[in-house]
Amino acid sequence: RSGRSAALRARMEERLLGARFRYLNQQLYTGSSRDAARLFRDDPAAFHLYHRGFERQVRRWPERPVQRIVRYLRRRPASLVVADFGCGDCTLAASVRNQVHCFDLVPLSPRVTVCDMAKVPLAAESVDVAVFCLALMGTNLQEILGEANRVLRLGGTLMVAEVASRFEDTRAFLKAMTHLGFRTVSKDLSSSYFYLLEFAKTGPARPGPAPGLRLRPCLYKRR
Ligand code: SAH
């Protein structure tokens, strides 16, 4: 009998964790990056819960997007300096020889510099590759991508891996990216799970709104 009630309690706990994960996830996708920073600063336990939920989601996918970015970097010179925006557990930094600046809201690894990705402590034009791997979460997308533009040198690479269903109008999104100073170099839309987009910095971001720059929030269903 005690075995059965322990199993029941475990199932209840799982459900509660799942519900909290979905709620946190929704907050991250429907607020600004600053709201996210405040949320996790005030409640670091929420961050760890979020990451457990995230891991569980991504494990269901046939391939982890970060592995695609690892493969991409291994084909290019190891001398390139990388900035990983929303690095999570620093899988990228741990998998390549490049110098990788890792930014996230809470340190899952000692490599992480804690900051809001809209304002990273890097000098202008100091990196060769900027990466957002499932990390374009805040609603202030233009500000976040503007920060990537600021730290990238001219001709530098921006890699974006994002959940496919978040794109409502991919063409409009890519057009908006040109407004932000990014030319599309390649786009892999073949996976039904995530898109992989490669851009090159053509110059500074132009001022004024970029209307097509919209992504749907990525909300998970209850299972
Ligand atoms: N890139 C990693 C983790 C993706 S999960 C991977 O592919 O495995 C998204 C990450 O972005 C989370 O770790 C989350 O904490 C981080 N994040 C979300 N908003 C952020 C913000 N405003 N500033 C910095 N990191 C943020």
Side-chain angles (χ1 to χ4, degrees):
R1 258 189 70 223
S2 74
R4 219 159 69 201
S5 72
L8 182 65
R9 166 128 43 86
R11 210 160 59 228
M12 296 295 282
E13 262 165 25
E14 274 300 295
R15 283 222 173 160
L16 225 72
L17 285 175
R20 274 210 79 198
F21 165 70
R22 287 191 301 277
Y23 177 66
L24 281 168
N25 184 67
Q26 180 183 336
Q27 280 180 296
L28 292 175
Y29 280 113
T30 55
S32 75
S33 68
R34 261 174 302 281
D35 296 333
R38 200 170 313 122
L39 176 75
F40 286 146
R41 194 182 51 229
D42 295 347
D43 186 2
F47 181 82
H48 292 280
L49 192 145
Y50 173 78
H51 266 276
R52 275 179 53 193
F54 171 77
E55 283 298 319
R56 197 150 2 129
Q57 287 293 334
V58 172
R59 248 184 279 132
R60 293 201 178 94
W61 296 10
E63 180 183 36
R64 278 191 78 135
V66 67
Q67 292 307 335
R68 293 287 301 277
I69 298 186
V70 168
R71 287 215 301 275
Y72 169 82
L73 284 175
R74 286 183 180 160
R75 287 199 309 267
R76 299 195 56 197
S79 56
L80 298 178
V81 177
V82 180
D84 188 6
F85 289 76
C87 58
D89 63 4
C90 299
T91 299
L92 186 62
S95 310
V96 297
R97 288 190 296 136
N98 308 59
Q99 182 191 357
V100 182
H101 299 283
C102 301
F103 302 112
D104 210 299
L105 294 171
V106 177
L108 277 186
S109 144
R111 295 179 197 248
V112 176
T113 299
V114 172
C115 65
D116 176 3
M117 60 167 77
K119 208 169 186 305
V120 297
L122 288 177
E125 309 195 355
S126 61
V127 311
D128 302 295
V129 183
V131 174
F132 290 88
C133 187
L134 305 177
L136 284 177
M137 304 185 92
T139 50
N140 52 330
L141 276 183
Q142 189 162 356
E143 193 186 344
I144 292 167
L145 291 164
E147 182 66 345
N149 182 296
R150 182 186 72 79
V151 304
L152 272 174
R153 66 168 172 76
L154 196 63
T157 301
L158 169 67
M159 297 293 291
V160 173
E162 260 311 329
V163 176
S165 59
R166 295 194 65 199
F167 292 87
E168 7 182 316
D169 184 346
T170 310
R171 273 183 60 182
F173 185 88
L174 297 177
K175 185 148 174 270
M177 290 299 283
T178 62
H179 187 94
L180 296 187
F182 294 111
R183 171 175 64 82
T184 307
V185 174
S186 72
K187 47 180 200 284
D188 183 347
L189 316 179
S190 62
S191 160
S192 53
Y193 288 90
F194 63 91
Y195 288 171
L196 191 66
L197 310 172
E198 176 186 351
F199 303 92
K201 174 175 167 177
T202 55
R206 274 182 261 156
L213 197 74
R214 262 203 320 275
L215 292 172
R216 288 194 196 97
C218 171
L219 304 179
Y220 297 106
K221 286 191 227 19
R222 201 180 136 179
R223 289 170 197 267

